[in-house]
Amino acid sequence: MSIASEIIRLRSELPVGVGLCAVSKFHPASAIREAYEAGQRCFGESRVQELLEKIPQLPSDIDWHFIGHLQTNKVRQIIGKVALIESVDSEKLLSLIDSESRKAGVVTRVLMQVHVAREETKFGFLPEELTEYFRQRKFESLTNTHLCGVMGMASNTDDEERVRADFASIAGIFRDITINIAPDLRGFDMVSMGMSHDWPIAVEEGATIVRIGSMIFGDRQ
Ligand SMILES: *Cc1c(COP(=O)(O)O)cnc(C)c1O
């Protein structure tokens, strides 16, 4: 199947209200353009250098999502260029995004990455760390960062019940924050979870945006 037909098929299968981030890491600008022509506007990249090379080659109305581990020494390079940083995995990184955004005179939208999967991803806040962050209302010190929600990954396993349980805990943490811990938070409404092999389960468990790469673009080199 072509990139365009995969985009169109996925769009038709995703429920209304669930966004699609097409993960284009390791794929060339030409592949992104093909998806763009099929109407796709949101793309996910996981490496700063690769993202910075692609941005000027592609239309300016693309919403770029940064989805990889962001090193603190590279924050400044992407501030003002991305629509969303999905992978905020420490308070230190968050403070830096905030201060660099202030210096640049922009507001940066971010998701808090939560780590629930077994061993797979080493990055992200532990569930207790994340809920504690909100319980202590540390977000009140941010001036130029908009916390938009949470992002997470399930364990990399064929055990569907394990995957479902991981997605359920990510969505559960999100609900705990929005309903019990900080119900006054505004614009904290995104749950980014689900990749090529597990997105239908993520959607069933409450994803509002899925991040799909290889199913659209084929295997990465
Ligand atoms: C690569 C990546 C994806 C997409 O994975 P696929 O299996 O290719 O769909 C999603 N999220 C993150 C954080 C990734 O690094």
Side-chain angles (χ1 to χ4, degrees):
M1 283 244 265
S2 70
I3 290 171
S5 54
E6 280 296 347
I7 293 276
I8 290 160
R9 188 181 63 82
L10 266 168
R11 282 258 51 109
S12 73
E13 291 179 7
L14 285 167
V16 173
V18 177
L20 171 62
C21 177
V23 176
S24 48
K25 64 188 187 196
F26 303 106
H27 291 284
S30 57
I32 300 175
R33 189 169 288 278
E34 200 178 326
Y36 180 91
E37 316 244 279
Q40 182 65 25
R41 290 295 179 272
C42 176
F43 293 92
E45 289 285 337
S46 60
R47 296 189 303 188
V48 169
Q49 198 49 46
E50 187 178 345
L51 172 66
L52 295 177
E53 280 165 20
K54 284 174 176 172
I55 291 175
Q57 298 179 56
L58 286 152
S60 57
D61 63 341
I62 286 178
D63 282 342
W64 295 101
H65 287 197
F66 191 81
I67 62 169
H69 173 61
L70 180 56
Q71 290 169 267
T72 48
N73 63 351
K74 297 196 172 156
V75 167
R76 185 176 311 167
Q77 298 180 56
I78 67 167
I79 291 301
K81 299 188 171 160
V82 291
L84 185 67
I85 299 174
E86 296 204 16
S87 43
V88 171
D89 54 14
S90 71
E91 286 186 40
K92 183 178 171 215
L93 177 61
L94 185 56
S95 312
L96 200 65
I97 289 171
D98 197 47
S99 58
E100 289 298 336
S101 301
R102 196 177 316 125
K103 280 186 217 158
V106 299
V107 171
T108 302
R109 300 167 68 245
V110 308
L111 302 182
M112 303 290 259
Q113 182 173 353
V114 56
H115 177 171
V116 300
R118 278 191 194 155
E119 73 276 336
E120 317 333 340
T121 49
K122 45 189 188 295
F123 298 114
F125 291 87
L126 293 174
E128 317 76 82
E129 286 172 350
L130 193 59
T131 49
E132 199 51 29
Y133 176 85
F134 286 96
R135 203 165 276 124
Q136 295 183 12
R137 302 189 66 84
K138 293 188 181 170
F139 55 86
E140 287 179 344
S141 68
L142 301 171
T143 63
N144 290 61
T145 309
H146 176 182
L147 299 184
C148 297
V150 302
M151 179 274 237
M153 276 177 252
S155 305
N156 185 12
T157 167
D158 291 335
D159 177 357
E160 198 180 306
E161 288 320 303
R162 177 76 234 163
V163 170
R164 185 176 298 281
D166 286 346
F167 287 142
S169 41
I170 296 164
I173 292 158
F174 169 77
R175 277 195 305 274
D176 198 24
I177 294 168
T178 54
I179 298 171
N180 303 317
I181 302 175
D184 56 327
L185 259 184
R186 289 287 165 269
F188 190 84
D189 54 16
M190 293 180 74
V191 180
S192 172
M193 58 185 191
M195 322 200 319
S196 292
H197 62 288
D198 57 17
W199 73 263
I201 307 174
V203 168
E204 283 170 18
E205 295 302 325
T208 68
I209 181 168
V210 293
R211 309 177 307 271
I212 300 184
S214 44
M215 180 176 273
I216 296 170
F217 295 107
D219 291 336
R220 291 179 280 275
Q221 321 299 319

